[in-house]
Amino acid sequence: QVQLVESGGGLVQVGGSLGLSCAASRTILSWNAMGWYRQAPGKQREVVALIRSMGTTYADSVKGRFTISRDNAKNTVYLQMNSLKPEDTAVYYCYAKWRTDDYWGQGTQVTVSS
């Protein structure tokens, strides 16, 4: 069983920055995909950023503001969020795909106050 543990959420003012981390319980070298989703109250969960074998993708709403990265030695994926907006407020979930199995972290709250 794989575990994904997120950290780094919190409260930040508009225009501020936050960094999220997701530590996996096993090596991430051969994962099909890793990244971040988010879910705001009353909305569906949406992809924020993904790292896959063919490259990295971002939601249009975060392009130029968010950066996803990985450290294979630490089995960790990061999400650096800059120029945060109130609409970025959501629970952020780490996600990983290994072959046909999907794995999710427990979620971490990010709140952007105006």
Side-chain angles (χ1 to χ4, degrees), residues 4 6 20-23 28 31-38 46-52 55-58 67-70 76-79 92-97 103-105:
L4 302 174
E6 301 115 333
L20 304 181
S21 300
C22 172
I28 64 173
W31 290 63
N32 300 91
M34 286 198 74
W36 297 89
Y37 282 70
R38 67 186 181 187
E46 62 176 2
V47 63
V48 176
L50 286 175
I51 297 177
R52 292 178 286 189
T56 301
T57 58
Y58 293 92
T67 303
I68 189 172
S69 62
R70 62 192 289 174
T76 300
V77 173
Y78 303 95
L79 185 69
Y92 284 69
Y93 296 91
C94 182
Y95 165 80
K97 187 176 186 68
Y103 298 93
W104 296 91

Side-chain angles (χ1 to χ4, degrees), residues 36-98:
W36 297 89
Y37 282 70
R38 67 186 181 187
Q39 187 166 18
K43 295 187 177 181
Q44 290 188 331
R45 191 172 297 189
E46 62 176 2
V47 63
V48 176
L50 286 175
I51 297 177
R52 292 178 286 189
S53 56
M54 69 281 289
T56 301
T57 58
Y58 293 92
D60 287 342
S61 60
V62 306
K63 283 181 181 177
R65 300 188 298 121
F66 291 12
T67 303
I68 189 172
S69 62
R70 62 192 289 174
D71 185 334
N72 292 335
K74 296 182 178 180
N75 298 331
T76 300
V77 173
Y78 303 95
L79 185 69
Q80 179 62 39
M81 304 181 291
N82 299 326
S83 303
L84 283 160
K85 305 175 181 180
E87 51 264 42
D88 295 318
T89 295
V91 177
Y92 284 69
Y93 296 91
C94 182
Y95 165 80
K97 187 176 186 68
W98 166 245

